[in-house]
Amino acid sequence: MARKYDSEETKQKILSSSVRLFIEKGYHETTMTEILHDAGVSGSSFHSIFHTKDGVLAELTAVSYTHLRA
């Protein structure tokens, strides 16, 4: 039986790890493998939520923009 996961919790783990790694290493130097390892999530979980590293960046941009408008 497949293990259930909380997609919102997984999404937040990925976003948090990505922000930290992007700040430390830069966007282009951060690999998907590093994000997955740091966040402690599987590649399939990542791909079901964001599809690509660009998807993470788009989400972070949208969240930042939303907070700036508030």
Side-chain angles (χ1 to χ4, degrees), residues 10-52:
T10 301
K11 181 178 180 178
Q12 292 308 313
K13 285 180 181 179
I14 293 167
L15 291 173
S16 294
S17 292
S18 296
V19 167
R20 190 176 58 68
L21 290 167
F22 293 166
I23 290 169
E24 287 178 8
K25 301 181 69 170
Y27 176 79
H28 293 292
E29 297 301 318
T30 300
T31 66
M32 290 281 297
T33 302
E34 291 169 323
I35 294 169
L36 296 174
H37 179 73
D38 191 74
V41 300
S42 69
S44 61
S45 294
F46 179 95
H47 290 292
S48 71
I49 297 169
F50 292 108
H51 307 291
T52 65

Side-chain angles (χ1 to χ4, degrees), residues 49-60:
I49 297 169
F50 292 108
H51 307 291
T52 65
K53 188 169 77 169
D54 289 342
V56 174
L57 185 59
E59 178 73 16
L60 291 171

